[in-house]
Amino acid sequence: MAVHRLPISQYLFPIGSLGLAAVIYFGATSIEHSPLSIKILALVAVAVFIFATVFVVLHHAETAALRLGEPFGTLLLTFSVTAIEASVIVSMMLHGENNPTLARESVFSTVMIVCTGVVGVCLTLGGLKHRYQDIKRQGTNASLTVLMALTVLTLILPNYTLATGPGTFSALQLAFVSILSILLYSAFIFAQTVRHRGDFIEDLASGAENGEHAPEGGKATVNVLLLLVGLAGIVLLTEQVAGSIEDGLEFLQVPQADAIVGFFVAALVLMPEAVSAVRAALNNELQRGLNVALGSACATIGLTIPAIGAASLVTGRSLILGLGSGDTVLLILALAISIVSFGTGRTTMLTGLVHLVVFVAYLFLIVVP
């Protein structure tokens, strides 16, 4: 039997991204201390390399998912992407002077991009192609319930506690909420993979109907290793680009610098999951797409908030988690329309357009607060 070999590009970009990051971090090359023209060209080249690596990483994630089966393949991608975001946010927190709101903006951007942008595109394109799409209400509602609890506890509740100033937790409160987040997300993973696994899997094997089969030959080990190597390179390169953007926005005295950087980090890190979710919706596997999208939002809060909370407690840097009034309204609106959209178990193009309208409003308010 012929041995399945990966194209050279599938090795080149993951290993190359990690190597490029190592050169920037530990070699003689330094983007931050270069002339402005060279810095801009270098940042553009790095950004292009990141985008290319993202799609290669996505290929490895999808191949591993086909070989591991659902929902384990989806969880592999979710955990990997969440590890990226947590690492980037913690690194950005420790970059330069104390920036107490950057972590909040990154997490909030992730939730808004997922619940309005990614979900909106999935429902709209899926509705255009298939007219109606059915979902498992049990699994989707479980994801939304966990997301709502985590979101309110970490991004809204800090505005109403009395131990410290508005928007912040005391050290004891932060540790308590972090532990609750981990426990709740762990229970969600147990339900998704063991106890109620059937609630998160398509009734019909839509992929099989469309001719999708697990790749022949080879093992998932190679794909998983290249996935992790590529993600590590993306983490380090994204941190470099985001740090330079943050410094540039501060130099230009842009008032919404944290929101812009937070959106950039969230959008770049979520790209593999976003593309995977949209492909699933177009392939009439909307439930798998929602598992990817909503699972990433739950993981972002359930795992990233404890990580940045621990970093804050260890380093002594202040952390502001409470959202402003305008962002709170947008967040509640996004969660509310998600409940209504998935309440019937069937979605249409119109459902997706409602999510996209909220997403566009979110983008507009970043630029014009």
Side-chain angles (χ1 to χ4, degrees):
M1 183 176 66
V3 178
H4 176 75
R5 296 183 182 276
L6 293 173
I8 188 63
S9 61
Q10 303 299 319
Y11 294 95
L12 175 63
F13 282 101
I15 297 174
S17 64
L18 189 58
L20 178 59
V23 169
I24 294 175
Y25 270 74
F26 306 112
T29 303
S30 176
I31 293 180
E32 291 188 3
H33 299 91
S34 301
L36 180 60
S37 58
I38 297 179
K39 180 184 295 186
I40 294 175
L41 290 176
L43 290 177
V44 171
V46 170
V48 171
F49 203 86
I50 291 174
F51 278 103
T53 306
V54 162
F55 285 98
V56 173
V57 164
L58 175 63
H59 171 78
H60 288 299
E62 291 181 337
T63 303
L66 289 173
R67 288 172 173 159
L68 295 174
E70 290 296 337
F72 301 105
T74 296
L75 288 176
L76 172 65
L77 180 59
T78 299
F79 284 146
S80 301
V81 171
T82 303
I84 290 181
E85 183 164 22
S87 301
V88 172
I89 293 175
V90 171
S91 298
M92 294 293 293
M93 284 176 58
L94 304 178
H95 173 78
E97 298 180 358
N98 186 30
N99 193 340
T101 62
L102 179 61
R104 176 195 69 189
E105 296 298 339
S106 298
V107 173
F108 171 63
S109 295
T110 299
V111 177
M112 291 301 298
I113 290 171
V114 167
C115 291
T116 59
V118 177
V119 170
V121 172
C122 287
L123 300 187
T124 302
L125 296 183
L128 282 172
K129 184 174 181 180
H130 303 286
R131 191 167 183 175
Y132 297 103
Q133 289 187 297
D134 295 324
I135 60 174
K136 283 286 195 74
R137 283 187 294 177
Q138 300 93 327
T140 307
N141 287 338
S143 301
L144 283 176
T145 301
V146 172
L147 181 60
M148 291 174 63
L150 291 173
T151 301
V152 173
L153 284 173
T154 57
L155 297 180
I156 297 179
L157 182 61
N159 289 324
Y160 300 97
T161 55
L162 302 178
T164 56
T168 62
F169 280 133
S170 66
L172 181 60
Q173 289 172 336
L174 182 58
F176 179 71
V177 170
S178 297
I179 293 173
L180 284 183
S181 299
I182 294 175
L183 292 176
L184 181 56
Y185 183 68
S186 299
F188 171 67
I189 293 301
F190 177 73
Q192 189 178 20
T193 58
V194 181
R195 188 70 174 179
H196 302 290
R197 183 181 175 186
D199 292 344
F200 299 87
I201 301 177
E202 301 277 353
D203 286 326
L204 297 175
S206 304
E209 292 176 351
N210 290 315
E212 288 188 6
H213 301 280
E216 296 181 358
K219 295 182 179 179
T221 305
V222 175
N223 296 106
V224 172
L225 288 176
L226 290 173
L227 168 66
L228 297 178
V229 169
L231 290 175
I234 292 172
V235 169
L236 299 175
L237 293 178
T238 300
E239 178 192 345
Q240 182 72 44
V241 176
S244 298
I245 292 176
E246 182 182 24
D247 293 340
L249 292 174
E250 290 180 357
F251 176 78
L252 296 175
Q253 297 182 344
V254 176
Q256 289 287 91
D258 285 351
I260 295 173
V261 173
F263 172 80
F264 171 80
V265 171
L268 190 58
V269 169
L270 283 173
M271 190 180 301
E273 288 187 318
V275 175
S276 179
V278 172
R279 284 181 179 177
L282 289 173
N283 198 38
N284 205 21
E285 295 178 309
L286 181 60
Q287 185 60 53
R288 183 165 72 87
L290 293 179
N291 289 345
V292 173
L294 297 178
S296 65
C298 291
T300 294
I301 302 181
L303 300 178
T304 302
I305 291 293
I308 61 179
S312 174
L313 294 175
V314 170
T315 62
R317 296 200 171 200
S318 59
L319 182 63
I320 299 177
L321 291 176
L323 294 172
S325 56
D327 289 342
T328 301
V329 171
L330 283 176
L331 179 61
I332 294 175
L333 178 59
L335 295 174
I337 63 173
S338 296
I339 295 173
V340 176
S341 297
F342 305 133
T344 63
R346 170 172 287 188
T347 64
T348 64
M349 177 192 69
L350 177 60
T351 310
L353 289 176
V354 175
H355 286 261
L356 289 179
V357 166
V358 179
F359 180 64
V360 171
Y362 158 69
L363 293 179
F364 178 77
L365 292 175
I366 290 180
V367 181
V368 186

